[in-house]
Amino acid sequence: MCEARFVGTQAGAQRGRRLLDRVLAGVPRGESPLRHVRELPERPETSVPWPDWVSAGLRAAFAECGVSSPWAHQVEAATHAREGRHVVIATGTASGKSLAYQVPVLTALAANPRATALYLSPTKALGADQLRSVAALAVPEVRAASFDGDTPLPERDWVRAHSRWVFTNPDMLHRGILPTHAKWAHFFRRLSYVVVDECHGYRGVFGSHVALLLRRLRRVAQRYGSDPVFVLASATVSAPEASATLLSGVPCVAVTADRSPQGARTVALWEPPLLEELAGENGAPVRRSAGAETARILTDLVVEGARTLAFVRSRRGAELTALSARHALSEVDSSLPARVAAYRAGFLPEERRALEKSLADGSLLGVASTNALELGVDIAGLDAVVVAGYPGTLASFWQQAGRAGRAGDSALVVFVAQDNPLDTYLVHHPAAMLDKPIEATVIDPSNPYVLAPQLACAATELPLTDACLSAFGGAVARRVVDDLVADGVLRRRPTGWFWTSRERPHSAVDIRGSGGEQIAVVETDSGRMLGTVNPGSACATVHPGAVYLHQGTSYVVDDLDLESGLAMVHREDPEWSTTPREQVDISILSTVESRSFGGAVTVNLGEVAVTAHVVGYLRRLPSGQVLDQIPLDLPEQTLHTRAVWYTLSEPLLAEAGVAHRDVPGALHAAEHAAIGLLPLFATCDRWDIGGVSTALHQDTGEATVFVHDGHPGGAGFADRGHAALVPWLTATRDAIAACECPAGCPSCVQSPKCGNGNEPLNKPAAVSVLDAVLGALTARKGESPAA
């Protein structure tokens, strides 16, 4: 699979605007969902000659794939790597990042017949795509091969013995390569390059694990005498050199000037209308779902003959969007439904390849996909992209939007807001999406909940020494090692710290950040394991009676056994969904930073213990109507993590006009909206974080609002919120005030994950509270640290 390049045409210059006009023509009378339109100009390409060090044979191989000359940023990154500098190339979708690392790697492998290279990607699908790309170049004696969970056991021996460029993922590196590094001795001895693809995807707890995994990898390579150059590829992110350096553990230079061509794009921000005939929880107004609106837009674009990709947040959502579009198209032209399909994880590789090929060659006009098509897959020249709901980060949004207009023609990008505070804020504040710098990734390799198991794994691979601990965090790592010694996990000897057990810890360490052994979801009738869930969220997601979705199929949970790690389910497709009801308490363990503002507001960052108890669940119809509430008898669960919190004094609340009876609802509403808006300032999803608010907290003695990370030890999100507190709370206040609902709805202060059924909530009082807090923060400089 080679990287094809296309040139735009003048005829396509206004196509994006025409497609938007076609979509608007299909809007029912009386509705006005369009909130903002932005025309993004075309970007011309800057090509440069091949460097002298690139062989004629390699140039010819790329020419066969349609690349006669590289773009300037590709040569800049490749040259850094060729000259031994660790580099990150952070440019947009379809900017040819693959060539930037393929050229130096293939050059090195050709120059030294014994040299080797390692490629890491966050998904097996992306790794397979990149392997095919290298194979298509047909460079002799590279022997590129995949080594992942799908590689048959007999082939794994061949890969270890003969492959010179191994394509794998962090999971296999952690569990299948580093624990048996002696079998890979010849590979590590001549390891020249390590490629870390789509590195912006390594964030939060997963990213923190991968950062330490890369340090383990480098330590093992150095044990065998090599010191590989790291080449990282990323979507456009803020401060890529700092992010890449923190992730890889080596100083990286950044290449960020994108010199690839980009067609002009029309970007439309779209807010589905309120449904006057329906009322949601507590009588709140309900908007038409983003999925239903996306299906309608997809239908209009397919009728227009536009090749369209719709990104939907869930697997089931992708299936339902495609199904709805096919149904609507059947009433227009009987040949059109067959030209729309769904694409998601869970499909067989051959099914995915067929869909990708059909979309690329125009056989398919419309595809509804999860973010499985966001990374790496080479699909160029799409006429339109529809993004149903904010994908979590600006980097992901622009990555998805970049699928449109890749052939140099004008294209359409439509962002359809979901019914939540963040999406509502974005469509009413377009600069926050279209003009704001893309965020930096957030990882914390010093998190002791991540560092401890990673150091245990490292000790089984090679004994830990004082010298190597500096790469793992220095003094922080030494304290964790001392704790592991005290726990009897490691033993100190004159030459270092050694693992004490015969069993390796790798299989028990989940680098995806679940915090413990997974709960297996098993179909009762067949005994087939459908999947796994995080043990920390099991009570909320697979409690008895919960509706569990797997690859578009609904199951109902019969039983949850936390001790044995099993959730038994049966296949059923009820008309309702389930929402857990939860009681949450929070206690402060330690305060890392505290600052008082005039005695009226204190702002704090620290460690907390969050105790959650799922006490029941709601059964809810698609309309939002609640059928009933069913009690549950489940154990409490406690999470030790990081939080940011602020307190308000009684005089400040009185001055703000918030009556005593309204304080709980005001704080609760402000908490919900703040959780919804934090992803605008930290690379997280609202499901990565949680919150607690109370009119009188036992540890602070005042009205307090907490927002905490949802992972053991924290993932860096609360810290990022603390650092951006004023803009974060300003955006929160503006989102609540701008919402057109009278008393609170999912677009502003209601939360889909609220364990208290969104009660109590007081929208006007929340605005008053946030005005008071912001007034204190901006009017007074922080005083000396609070007691």
Side-chain angles (χ1 to χ4, degrees):
M1 183 181 67
C2 294
E3 176 185 321
R5 297 193 174 177
F6 303 87
V7 178
T9 63
Q10 187 64 33
Q14 299 301 319
R15 181 161 175 76
R17 188 71 204 208
R18 290 201 308 270
L19 290 175
L20 178 58
D21 291 341
R22 172 65 183 85
V23 171
L24 288 170
V27 173
R29 181 175 299 178
E31 295 182 6
S32 54
L34 188 63
R35 294 291 173 261
H36 184 78
V37 178
R38 177 77 60 87
E39 300 292 343
L40 303 182
E42 181 179 7
R43 182 184 64 220
E45 70 175 273
T46 302
S47 297
V48 296
W50 287 104
D52 293 339
W53 52 267
V54 180
S55 69
L58 190 54
R59 298 183 197 188
F62 278 108
E64 284 289 320
C65 292
V67 182
S68 56
S69 59
W71 292 315
H73 63 278
Q74 295 173 318
V75 170
E76 182 183 356
T79 301
H80 279 306
R82 163 74 172 176
E83 295 176 353
R85 289 183 288 273
H86 308 291
V87 61
V88 56
I89 178 169
T91 52
T93 310
S95 60
K97 292 186 284 287
S98 299
L99 183 146
Y101 58 74
Q102 288 170 354
V103 169
V105 171
L106 292 172
T107 298
L109 297 185
N112 180 356
R114 294 190 172 185
T116 61
L118 184 70
Y119 169 95
L120 294 170
S121 70
T123 65
K124 289 187 290 186
L126 174 57
D129 282 322
Q130 291 304 305
L131 176 58
R132 276 190 294 275
S133 178
V134 169
L137 292 169
V139 178
E141 297 303 315
V142 171
R143 298 194 296 274
S146 174
F147 191 87
D148 59 31
D150 293 337
T151 306
L153 291 178
E155 291 184 19
R156 296 185 186 189
D157 292 336
W158 184 92
V159 173
R160 272 193 297 265
H162 301 291
S163 177
R164 299 180 60 214
W165 194 351
V166 174
F167 286 68
T168 188
N169 51 62
D171 308 83
M172 181 57 79
L173 178 65
H174 165 65
R175 296 193 179 194
I177 296 178
L178 292 182
T180 59
H181 60 80
K183 296 181 179 179
W184 293 81
H186 75 285
F187 181 85
F188 283 117
R189 191 170 292 120
R190 296 175 177 85
L191 183 60
S192 302
Y193 287 97
V194 174
V195 176
V196 185
D197 206 355
E198 302 291 357
C199 65
H200 64 282
Y202 299 120
R203 59 184 178 86
V205 171
F206 179 41
S208 302
H209 273 288
V210 172
L212 296 168
L213 177 63
L214 293 178
R215 287 154 175 77
R216 287 166 46 201
L217 167 64
R218 188 163 182 252
R219 191 171 76 114
V220 167
Q222 290 174 335
R223 162 66 176 78
Y224 290 99
S226 67
D227 193 6
V229 173
F230 281 74
V231 183
L232 297 92
S234 170
T236 305
V237 294
S238 175
E241 64 286 336
S243 297
T245 297
L246 183 60
L247 178 67
S248 65
V250 293
C252 294
V253 296
V255 174
T256 59
D258 194 335
R259 303 303 185 189
S260 63
Q262 174 69 67
R265 286 172 292 175
T266 298
V267 180
L269 305 186
W270 192 281
E271 185 176 38
L274 291 170
L275 301 175
E276 296 181 359
E277 67 275 15
L278 289 179
E281 193 168 20
N282 302 322
V286 175
R287 292 190 183 277
R288 183 181 298 143
S289 73
E293 197 79 342
T294 297
R296 193 187 66 73
I297 294 171
L298 179 61
T299 299
D300 287 343
L301 291 169
V302 169
V303 170
E304 190 68 9
R307 285 189 294 164
T308 304
L309 179 56
F311 285 101
V312 187
R313 296 298 303 276
S314 70
R315 293 177 176 182
R316 186 178 187 184
E319 296 276 12
L320 292 176
T321 297
L323 184 64
S324 179
R326 285 198 294 264
H327 177 73
L329 289 167
S330 68
E331 300 177 359
V332 177
D333 184 336
S334 60
S335 67
L336 289 178
R339 304 191 70 184
V340 173
Y343 182 108
R344 56 172 174 76
F347 283 178
L348 296 175
E350 54 269 26
E351 293 175 315
R352 285 190 282 108
R353 298 293 163 255
L355 287 170
E356 292 161 16
K357 180 177 183 298
S358 296
L359 180 59
D361 66 19
S363 303
L364 276 177
L365 282 178
V367 170
S369 173
T370 61
N371 64 357
L373 274 178
E374 177 184 324
L375 302 178
V377 179
D378 187 21
I379 296 175
L382 297 182
D383 301 304
V385 164
V386 185
V387 181
Y390 187 62
T393 66
L394 289 173
S396 288
F397 170 73
W398 288 114
Q399 188 85 348
Q400 293 177 1
R403 294 291 177 199
R406 291 177 64 181
D409 289 343
S410 173
L412 174 65
V413 177
V414 182
F415 170 68
V416 182
Q418 287 185 318
D419 202 3
N420 64 53
L422 178 56
D423 287 28
T424 302
Y425 178 84
L426 291 173
V427 294
H428 289 277
H429 299 80
M433 174 173 272
L434 304 180
D435 299 326
K436 187 172 182 283
I438 291 176
E439 60 277 284
T441 54
V442 178
I443 62 173
D444 180 17
S446 65
N447 179 346
Y449 288 85
V450 176
L451 190 52
Q454 285 290 330
L455 285 173
C457 292
T460 68
E461 294 155 5
L462 296 169
L464 297 173
T465 64
D466 285 311
C468 78
L469 287 183
S470 61
F472 288 98
V476 175
R478 178 58 189 268
R479 288 195 295 271
V480 171
V481 166
D482 289 342
D483 290 340
L484 293 174
V485 171
D487 293 338
V489 174
L490 298 182
R491 179 177 301 158
R492 179 69 190 266
R493 293 178 181 170
T495 55
W497 290 271
F498 289 74
W499 178 249
T500 59
S501 173
R502 291 186 177 181
E503 295 185 3
R504 296 181 181 271
H506 298 73
S507 60
V509 178
D510 176 20
I511 65 172
R512 299 282 172 171
S514 68
E517 289 294 329
Q518 297 285 289
I519 303 295
V521 182
V522 177
E523 189 174 24
T524 303
D525 293 340
S526 65
R528 179 171 62 106
M529 190 174 84
L530 302 176
T532 60
V533 298
N534 183 328
S537 63
C539 289
T541 56
V542 288
H543 57 76
V547 176
Y548 174 80
L549 297 178
H550 176 71
Q551 296 188 6
T553 302
S554 294
Y555 297 83
V556 173
V557 180
D558 299 313
D559 181 58
L560 171 62
D561 188 335
L562 293 171
E563 290 188 4
S564 61
L566 287 175
M568 306 302 297
V569 303
H570 69 271
R571 186 167 179 171
E572 185 180 340
D573 191 14
E575 58 179 341
W576 60 81
S577 61
T578 54
T579 305
R581 296 296 301 269
E582 194 171 32
Q583 294 177 351
V584 181
D585 191 20
I586 191 167
S587 59
I588 299 171
L589 301 178
S590 66
T591 302
V592 175
E593 186 175 339
S594 180
R595 190 164 291 277
S596 173
F597 294 81
V601 172
T602 64
V603 176
N604 310 271
L605 177 70
E607 298 178 348
V608 297
V610 183
T611 301
H613 186 199
V614 177
V615 296
Y617 65 96
L618 305 178
R619 296 194 304 168
R620 194 191 309 268
L621 294 174
S623 66
Q625 177 185 351
V626 174
L627 291 175
D628 53 18
Q629 177 176 329
I630 299 174
L632 290 169
D633 182 17
L634 294 170
E636 292 182 344
Q637 293 184 306
T638 299
L639 169 72
H640 289 188
T641 188
R642 301 265 290 191
V644 55
W645 66 94
Y646 61 86
T647 69
L648 301 89
S649 67
E650 285 192 22
L652 181 66
L653 289 168
E655 182 183 333
V658 181
H660 183 73
R661 66 179 180 278
D662 294 331
V663 171
L667 299 179
H668 195 198
E671 170 218 324
H672 278 186
I675 290 172
L677 268 294
L678 184 56
L680 196 59
F681 301 90
T683 49
C684 65
D685 187 273
R686 71 183 299 160
W687 301 96
D688 291 327
I689 49 183
V692 177
S693 57
T694 175
L696 181 64
H697 191 266
Q698 70 272 12
D699 293 335
T700 68
E702 292 185 307
T704 310
V705 175
F706 294 84
V707 175
H708 63 82
D709 288 0
H711 299 277
F717 306 137
D719 293 67
R720 187 56 60 92
H722 180 262
L725 188 70
V726 170
W728 172 31
L729 294 187
T730 299
T732 301
R733 184 260 178 217
D734 291 347
I736 300 173
C739 186
E740 60 191 290
C741 75
C745 70
S747 294
C748 57
V749 299
Q750 288 193 348
S751 170
K753 54 184 288 190
C754 180
N756 294 316
N758 284 299
E759 292 181 340
L761 292 175
N762 190 315
K763 175 184 174 181
V767 175
S768 299
V769 162
L770 290 167
D771 281 337
V773 172
L774 289 166
L777 297 182
T778 56
R780 306 179 180 95
K781 291 185 178 180
E783 300 173 352
S784 58

